[in-house]
Amino acid sequence: MTEAQRIFSGIQPTGYIHLGNYLGAVRRWVDQQSEFDSFFCIVDLHAMTLPWDPKELQERSVATGAMLLACGIDPTQATLYLQSHVPAHSELAWVLSCIARMGELRRMVQFKEKSKGETESVGVGLFTYPVLQAADVLLYRAHGVPVGEDQRQHVELMRDIATRFNSQLGEVFVLPEAWIPAAGARIMSLDDPSSKMSKSANRPNSAILLEDKPEVIAKKIRSAVTDSGREVTASPDKPAVTNLLTIYSVLAGESIAAVQERFVGKGYGDLKVALADVVVAALSPLRERYEELMADPAETARLLAIGAARASEVAATTMADVRRAAGLVPPA
Ligand code: TYM
């Protein structure tokens, strides 16, 4: 039997996991974990690239672990851990920052968006963030990186950095590929279908959180913006309805065409009522498991520590090769 291909992905513990994270990434991790040698990382170091509250970071890191377990990540199959528990991530990030180029980091769309034009006053970490992300994946020599559409550019950058390292210093890294789903890769905000659903929007009705109660989910969907016209159809001039249909389609496991068929002769209001039922049915079991897990955060912390021990072993092997290739003298 050939060895299973390895995959790596990460999620920031900033704020709360939302439906976009779930459909674009986490749900697929759950499906993929039995097929691939999977590493899923809660990237707490990335959560420090914008001003942060230490107490909140600590709480959210464990809570994010609990939510990933509630979503179905199985620690006996996948390696689930906190990034800061494996110091090799930071160490490799330094080495790769000596390989990456200013110009290529300046082109990163997320840096432009998150720095909001204040490129002189934001933290340096926000600029070098994609290098740490490259280190995350390259450290495990992962082949696949299951992510949403917004991470495509970061995965392309890690391929460029890996290619440059391999050609300058020797073949150490595997070139990873972005695995982006055909549907659900870019879920939009409910209150503004021109911006993606995001943890940092700070508008209560923009995102459905996985821990939202049924009545909150129904209210958010009821207040979602819709488009002009009346027909429930997906099309470029109906971005809001297309987004609602996409969410329905992915969660119900039906094609968009089949979902549209259900709403022939009906209106946006009918779609919203039915969508709320589909979302509540999908998320309620996750919320219930999450609440149980949060009653005993020490157990989640224990599982994350087991993941970190396994991740550290794999990371150490790669780092030994990196040090050798880079000319760093191994400890005697
Ligand atoms: P983060 O925490 O912003 O998002 C986690 C995952 O959710 C996906 N996602 C979405 N998918 C569909 N629709 C949306 N509206 C939506 N919003 C977010 C993201 O694409 C991502 O897959 N930099 C990364 C974390 C990271 C990482 C890594 C990912 C750090 N190191 C290495 C992969 C590999 C981030 O901030 O994701």
Side-chain angles (χ1 to χ4, degrees):
M1 206 177 91
T2 54
E3 230 184 291
Q5 273 199 334
R6 188 169 286 158
I7 62 174
F8 182 100
S9 202
I11 186 163
Q12 290 202 46
T14 326
Y16 299 83
I17 303 188
H18 55 68
L19 194 59
N21 299 132
Y22 185 61
L23 298 184
V26 177
R27 180 174 175 276
R28 300 165 53 234
W29 303 352
V30 174
D31 290 343
Q32 290 162 338
Q33 64 185 344
S34 58
E35 195 181 339
F36 300 100
D37 181 17
S38 306
F39 286 72
F40 302 126
C41 184
I42 300 159
V43 294
D44 49 358
L45 300 173
H46 278 101
M48 298 163 68
T49 51
L50 289 171
W52 78 100
D53 172 352
K55 190 166 165 279
E56 201 179 306
L57 175 59
Q58 195 172 15
E59 280 166 13
R60 293 311 313 163
S61 295
V62 178
T64 300
M67 185 52 96
L68 293 175
L69 294 168
C71 287
I73 299 296
D74 173 356
T76 66
Q77 294 197 71
T79 302
L80 176 69
Y81 68 102
L82 284 169
Q83 186 184 33
S84 66
H85 286 181
V86 182
H89 286 248
S90 316
E91 187 184 0
L92 181 57
W94 172 257
V95 175
L96 298 182
S97 74
C98 300
I99 302 285
R101 298 189 175 148
M102 297 289 286
E104 59 195 357
L105 294 187
R106 242 186 236 120
R107 283 196 291 277
M108 294 295 115
V109 171
Q110 282 214 339
F111 174 68
K112 291 185 200 161
E113 282 173 4
K114 291 195 178 178
S115 61
K116 300 195 178 98
E118 302 288 325
T119 49
E120 295 303 302
S121 55
V122 292
V124 174
L126 189 66
F127 186 64
T128 56
Y129 175 117
V131 177
L132 178 58
Q133 184 162 351
D136 295 340
V137 175
L138 299 180
L139 197 49
Y140 298 92
R141 295 175 163 130
H143 297 88
V145 187
V147 282
E149 178 62 43
D150 62 347
Q151 298 301 320
R152 187 188 292 278
Q153 196 188 27
H154 287 159
V155 179
E156 276 162 17
L157 175 74
M158 57 184 83
R159 287 175 69 87
D160 292 345
I161 294 175
T163 305
R164 198 172 306 137
F165 185 102
N166 285 351
S167 73
Q168 282 177 15
L169 298 165
E171 288 290 324
V172 171
F173 296 122
V174 167
L175 300 192
E177 270 174 34
W179 288 357
I180 294 173
R186 190 171 172 83
I187 299 296
M188 309 311 279
S189 297
L190 296 182
D191 61 346
D192 173 11
S194 68
S195 70
K196 69 170 186 198
M197 193 176 276
S198 128
K199 293 197 194 96
S200 51
N202 269 339
R203 300 185 314 264
N205 287 335
S206 70
I208 293 173
L209 309 179
L210 299 196
E211 55 201 77
D212 279 344
K213 297 228 158 64
E215 56 279 12
V216 176
I217 294 174
K219 185 175 147 281
K220 287 182 177 177
I221 294 178
R222 242 188 345 264
S223 63
V225 300
T226 46
D227 309 291
S228 54
R230 230 182 276 164
E231 272 170 41
V232 180
T233 47
S235 71
D237 63 336
K238 289 197 177 200
V241 172
T242 304
N243 191 42
L244 299 181
L245 282 169
T246 303
I247 296 171
Y248 191 120
S249 149
V250 179
L251 282 179
E254 293 177 19
S255 67
I256 296 258
V259 181
Q260 279 178 184
E261 195 60 31
R262 288 172 177 275
F263 293 97
V264 173
K266 297 186 181 164
Y268 296 158
D270 301 299
L271 170 63
K272 285 180 171 182
V273 171
L275 177 62
D277 288 346
V278 168
V279 175
V280 167
L283 299 191
S284 289
L286 310 188
R287 195 197 73 248
E288 283 157 19
R289 273 203 297 279
Y290 172 72
E291 284 168 1
E292 279 165 32
L293 287 160
M294 286 303 280
D296 183 10
E299 175 59 9
T300 296
R302 187 185 73 83
L303 294 171
L304 292 174
I306 294 173
R310 150 119 171 97
S312 297
E313 278 174 28
V314 178
T317 316
T318 310
M319 277 317 294
D321 291 347
V322 168
R323 286 198 201 95
R324 201 174 304 114
L328 298 168
V329 177

